[in-house]
Amino acid sequence: MTNPAWPASLPQEPLAQGFSEQAPNTLLRSQMEAGPPQMRRRFTAGIRNIECQVRLTPAQVDLLDTFFDATIAGGALPFD
């Protein structure tokens, strides 16, 4: 099954102003009885938090709401 695609009629790139990205924390730290704590990867991939802004018309806001609520189940499903 393929992922749904981002709607073509919505902006394809965010505005540069207000863009931020946070790398995922995939490490697990284990305290040892002696010596420094050991660290290892908990996951091979993690969720990357991205905040951005896009300029939308009222019609595009409706389309985005429908895409989010119905197509990707409130953000539960991935999309391309």
Side-chain angles (χ1 to χ4, degrees), residues 15-80:
L15 300 173
Q17 181 182 359
F19 183 88
S20 68
E21 184 174 5
Q22 184 179 16
N25 180 6
T26 60
L27 297 178
L28 182 63
R29 181 181 292 236
S30 299
Q31 193 65 40
M32 302 286 107
E33 286 186 26
Q38 274 192 335
M39 294 176 55
R40 64 180 172 89
R41 281 185 131 182
R42 181 186 308 203
F43 317 109
T44 56
I47 295 174
R48 187 174 292 270
N49 292 319
I50 297 174
E51 290 186 26
C52 64
Q53 298 176 4
V54 291
R55 190 165 278 124
L56 303 173
T57 66
Q60 288 175 319
V61 170
D62 291 339
L63 177 62
L64 178 60
D65 287 342
T66 301
F67 177 74
F68 183 78
D69 292 334
T71 308
I72 61 170
L77 302 174
F79 64 93
D80 294 333

